[in-house]
């Protein structure tokens, strides 16, 4: 049995290498000049004596609205300019930011924040309790329909105690509340009330960097805010983010110095880049779960045997080797082992014959045609090609539809009901940017979070899981929470609303003269303490 598995693994890897080679015509590494239009002479950082850095990322920003960012790239884009009452450190522990201190009442219903008194917004407006109230009112306004309202769903009211102290009163206990506060940046009240400018295009926060320009699909530029409350935070004057979906181009930009920070570093380029003098490759354990969301509301995916067959037909070890170049681990639960209250499950073992039996029991022994959607990044396309090849073994003829991130997001989240949804399978990843188990569970598996309200894009419907999710939020006992989340993970894994694939190892790269820029476990980039030597 072992000998057979290795034989199949070798065949699969060989087959995918052929697929990758065939697609490499469109993935050839252009010269740095062709990817940027600027040429290698545009190298930045201390190499040319400037205090400007370029960051190459693999996706576009969807929005810069601090209260409506839902994807990881938009979240870290807004965090470069905005701050919340609390935030996350490098390990995603909650730390005070615009609040000097906070207390939680014994009944866990009242959160009191004492605010910093030395903070101004980028437009010169003071940060104070009135500013917190203005943000709270914007978020809670039903007409605005903002994502941040989900973080505040258990907040009943806000009380302004004085100019620099506020109290949030909850309607019921919510164990993840402090993490949710860290997800809500504060915007300038003047900018909020300025009807002549859209906040999503004209960000005004309190962060160490302020908005300069956003050329959608090309670049986002932020510049150092001279009046920032921590003047020693950074010595970098300007940061330019450049979305570069093509893997080879990002690697080339790091090698030539056109980019000072690259994330993600393509796995296949790690060995080559590690040999380059002056380049540092960082590896970070992540909370990023990678999977294929299956629309359980739609035939034939509403059949549990079909979904389990799809899981059995995909060789996860080969996936890690072929798509992730060995950098990652098998996703053996609904969340990463780095996430709070993780509980390991028995993975679906690669077994094509068993998968065929389940397909026959479901009435699909001859297979069927299906679509898989994903964005345009090199790795996503490679991942979708892998899934296509694997499911072909059980007769599922998969068509790949690759879409630009904004278009894809609209297609996924615009449908108002499950009946309107056209997505069949979505190659995607999820990381709880709030850093807690609720963030890795509720949005993905609660029936309250079908699109457009959330990211339950599998349209997973299990009333028992709904009850457990609510119960976990209403207890402050960590042991009880651990037991509840273990039940949730076991139940969902057994129901197989996803093809469970892998957990990323995050790879980023930078020259050794740049410090303080890093990737958090959720895949977001922090530039707050960027320092050029």
């Amino acid at each position: 049995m072992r000998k057979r598995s290795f034989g199949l693994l070798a065949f699969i890897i060989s087959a995918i290498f052929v697929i990758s080679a065939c697609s490499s015509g469109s993935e050839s590494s252009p010269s740095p000049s062709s990817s940027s239009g600027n040429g290698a002479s545009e190298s930045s950082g201390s190499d040319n004596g400037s205090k400007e850095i370029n960051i190459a990322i693999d996706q576009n920003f969807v929005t810069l609205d601090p209260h409506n960012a839902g994807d990881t790239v938009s979240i870290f884009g807004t965090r470069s300019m905005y701050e919340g009452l609390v935030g996350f450190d490098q390990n995603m522990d909650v730390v005070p930011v615009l609040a000097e201190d906070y207390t939680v009442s014994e009944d866990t219903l009242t959160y009191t924040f004492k605010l910093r008194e030395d903070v101004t917004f980028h437009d010169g407006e003071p940060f104070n309790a009135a500013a917190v109230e203005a943000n709270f009112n914007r978020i809670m306004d039903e007409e605005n329909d903002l994502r941040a309202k989900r973080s505040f769903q258990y907040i009943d009211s806000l009380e302004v105690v004085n100019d620099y102290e506020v109290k949030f009163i909850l309607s019921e206990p919510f164990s993840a509340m402090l993490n949710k506060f860290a997800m809500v940046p504060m915007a300038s009240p003047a900018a909020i009330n300025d009807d002549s400018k859209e906040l999503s295009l004209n960000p005004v926060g309190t962060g160490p960097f302020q908005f300069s320009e956003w050329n959608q699909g090309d670049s986002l530029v932020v510049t150092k805010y001279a009046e920032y409350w921590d003047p020693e935070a950074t010595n970098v004057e300007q940061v330019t983010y450049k979305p570069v979906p093509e893997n080879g181009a990002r690697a080339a930009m790091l090698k030539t110095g056109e980019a000072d920070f690259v994330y993600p570093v393509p796995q296949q380029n790690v060995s080559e880049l590690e040999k380059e003098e002056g380049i540092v490759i960082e590896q970070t354990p992540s909370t990023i779960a990678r999977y294929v969301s299956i629309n359980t509301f739609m035939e034939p995916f509403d059949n549990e045997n079909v979904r389990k067959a799809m899981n059995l037909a995909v060789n996860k070890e080969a996936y890690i080797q072929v798509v992730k170049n060995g950098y990652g681990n098998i996703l053996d639960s609904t969340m990463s082992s780095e996430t709070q209250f993780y509980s390991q499950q028995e993975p679906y073992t690669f077994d094509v014959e068993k998968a065929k039996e389940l397909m026959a029991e479901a009435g699909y022994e001859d297979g069927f045609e299906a679509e898989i959607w994903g964005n345009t990044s090199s790795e996503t396309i490679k991942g979708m090609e892998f899934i296509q090849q694997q499911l072909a073994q059980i007769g599922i003829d998969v068509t790949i539809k690759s879409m630009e991130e904004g278009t894809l997001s609209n297609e996924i989240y615009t449908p108002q009901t499950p009946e309107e949804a056209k997505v069949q399978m979505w190659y995607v990843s999820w990381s709880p940017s709030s850093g807690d188990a609720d963030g890795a569970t509720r949005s993905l598996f609660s029936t309250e979070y079908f699109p457009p309200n959330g990211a339950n894009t599998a349209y997973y419907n299990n009333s028992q899981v709904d009850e457990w999710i609510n119960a976990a939020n209403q207890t402050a006992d960590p042991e009880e929470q651990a037991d509840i989340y273990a039940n949730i993970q076991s139940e969902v894994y057994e129901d197989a609303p996803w093809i469970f694939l892998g957990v990323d190892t995050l790879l980023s790269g930078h020259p050794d003269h740049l410090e303080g820029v890093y990737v958090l476990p959720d895949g977001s980039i922090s530039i707050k303490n960027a320092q050029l030597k």
Side-chain angles (χ1 to χ4, degrees):
M1 188 67 185
R2 179 184 295 272
K3 184 177 181 180
R4 182 185 175 211
S5 297
F6 280 131
L8 282 169
L9 178 62
F11 168 77
I12 292 163
I13 292 174
S14 299
I16 296 299
F17 278 161
V18 170
I19 292 171
S20 299
C22 290
S23 62
S24 65
S26 61
E27 294 185 3
S28 59
S29 304
S31 65
S33 56
S34 66
S35 67
S36 71
N38 294 325
S41 61
E42 291 289 326
S43 63
S44 56
S46 64
D47 276 356
N48 62 8
S50 77
K51 292 294 185 183
E52 301 176 2
I53 63 173
N54 294 327
I55 296 178
I57 54 179
D58 66 339
Q59 296 176 37
N60 291 318
F61 299 96
V62 175
T63 180
L64 296 181
D65 189 319
H67 302 147
N68 211 30
D71 61 292
T72 301
V73 172
S74 297
I75 288 173
F76 71 68
T78 55
R79 282 180 183 170
S80 70
M81 298 170 279
Y82 287 98
E83 296 173 308
L85 299 176
V86 292
F88 298 109
D89 65 12
Q90 193 162 355
N91 298 315
M92 293 204 70
D93 293 324
V94 177
V95 294
V97 182
L98 293 179
E100 286 184 331
D101 196 7
Y102 58 85
T103 58
V104 184
S105 64
E106 286 190 11
D107 61 6
T108 69
L109 291 175
T110 302
Y111 288 71
T112 303
F113 293 91
K114 186 176 181 182
L115 310 180
R116 297 188 64 91
E117 299 185 16
D118 54 351
V119 179
T120 58
F121 289 96
H122 302 152
D123 58 3
E125 290 285 309
F127 169 74
N128 50 28
V132 177
E133 186 175 35
N135 279 267
F136 176 76
N137 290 339
R138 178 178 191 253
I139 292 167
M140 301 305 285
D141 189 335
E142 293 285 352
E143 291 187 4
N144 291 330
D145 191 25
L146 298 167
R147 286 176 180 269
K149 191 170 186 294
R150 300 171 195 167
S151 295
F152 280 179
Q153 66 174 305
Y154 296 112
I155 293 180
D156 183 60
S157 61
L158 168 67
E159 178 185 340
V160 175
V161 179
N162 57 47
D163 283 351
Y164 292 100
E165 188 170 327
V166 295
K167 287 184 178 180
F168 290 90
I169 294 89
L170 276 59
S171 57
E172 57 184 84
F174 181 37
S175 59
M177 192 64 241
L178 203 55
N179 293 66
K180 304 305 182 189
F181 279 119
M183 291 295 294
V184 181
M186 293 289 124
S188 162
I192 289 174
N193 295 322
D194 186 351
D195 294 332
S196 67
K197 293 182 179 178
E198 201 174 320
L199 189 61
S200 63
L201 299 176
N202 300 277
V204 185
T206 63
F209 294 95
Q210 59 185 340
F211 178 71
S212 178
E213 60 177 331
W214 180 26
N215 300 309
Q216 296 186 35
D218 180 67
S219 63
L220 168 66
V221 182
V222 297
T223 56
K224 186 176 180 179
Y225 177 45
E227 304 302 321
Y228 185 58
W229 55 271
D230 180 4
E232 304 301 321
T234 180
N235 66 358
V236 171
E237 297 294 332
Q238 178 173 298
V239 179
T240 301
Y241 296 93
K242 292 192 71 69
V244 184
E246 205 279 315
N247 277 343
R250 286 197 311 282
M253 291 171 74
L254 179 61
K255 197 171 179 180
T256 62
E258 188 181 357
D260 302 283
F261 193 87
V262 167
Y263 171 73
V265 168
Q267 297 97 348
Q268 63 270 26
N269 296 105
V270 170
S271 297
E272 167 198 356
L273 291 170
E274 283 181 332
K275 296 174 184 174
E276 292 287 326
E277 185 177 355
I279 288 181
V280 179
I281 301 298
E282 308 277 5
Q283 296 189 30
T284 307
S286 87
T287 59
I288 299 177
R290 207 162 283 276
Y291 57 94
V292 174
S293 174
I294 306 170
N295 186 340
T296 63
F297 191 82
M298 181 185 292
E299 292 182 353
F301 308 108
D302 58 347
N303 190 306
E304 185 176 309
N305 278 347
V306 169
R307 301 195 302 272
K308 287 184 174 177
M310 294 165 73
N311 269 282
L312 292 170
V314 174
N315 188 327
K316 316 302 191 303
E317 293 179 3
Y319 171 80
I320 298 297
Q321 294 301 320
V322 173
V323 180
K324 311 299 293 184
N325 277 62
Y327 292 99
N329 300 292
I330 292 174
L331 177 60
D332 55 8
S333 186
T334 61
M335 60 178 72
S336 157
S337 60
E338 299 295 316
T339 303
Q340 179 190 36
F341 301 133
Y342 154 82
S343 175
Q344 185 177 21
Q345 310 299 310
E346 183 66 33
Y348 289 92
T349 304
F350 178 55
D351 190 337
V352 173
E353 295 307 314
K354 177 64 176 175
K356 288 180 177 176
E357 289 176 14
L358 291 178
M359 289 287 282
E361 289 177 19
Y364 294 100
E365 60 269 25
D366 296 327
F368 52 81
E369 295 181 351
E371 281 186 355
I372 187 169
W373 293 2
N375 64 30
T376 58
S377 76
S378 301
E379 184 177 307
T380 294
I381 293 171
K382 191 174 183 179
M384 290 194 291
E385 290 171 343
F386 180 87
I387 297 300
Q388 181 186 50
Q389 186 273 337
Q390 296 280 277
L391 294 186
Q393 299 173 103
I394 56 172
I396 301 178
D397 183 9
V398 176
T399 299
I400 294 172
K401 287 189 69 173
S402 183
M403 290 177 263
E404 187 273 329
E405 197 68 41
T407 303
L408 180 61
S409 182
N410 281 337
E411 291 285 345
I412 295 289
Y413 291 108
T414 298
Q416 299 297 304
T417 65
E419 291 82 358
E420 295 177 13
K422 296 178 182 176
V423 63
Q424 298 178 10
M425 294 186 286
W426 183 19
Y427 183 90
V428 66
S429 63
W430 180 267
S431 61
S433 293
S434 55
D436 59 275
D438 178 73
T441 305
R442 188 157 51 109
S443 288
L444 300 170
F445 304 117
S446 167
T447 54
E448 295 178 6
Y449 283 81
F450 290 165
N453 299 319
N456 184 355
T457 55
Y459 294 96
Y460 178 68
N461 186 345
N462 186 321
S463 58
Q464 177 62 75
V465 170
D466 283 346
E467 289 180 20
W468 280 331
I469 290 173
N470 291 331
N473 286 332
Q474 291 173 3
T475 177
D477 182 345
E479 291 187 6
E480 188 177 353
Q481 287 178 312
D483 288 342
I484 294 171
Y485 279 113
N487 288 334
I488 292 172
Q489 290 167 75
S490 175
E491 182 85 358
V492 175
Y493 210 83
E494 177 65 19
D495 288 343
W498 297 350
I499 300 175
F500 299 92
L501 296 175
V503 176
D504 287 6
T505 294
L506 305 180
L507 298 168
S508 57
H510 59 87
D512 56 10
H513 60 256
L514 175 64
E515 296 180 346
V517 180
Y518 56 83
V519 180
L520 280 74
D522 71 336
S524 60
I525 299 172
S526 174
I527 62 170
K528 181 175 181 176
N529 298 117
Q531 297 284 340
L532 280 167
K533 295 191 293 184

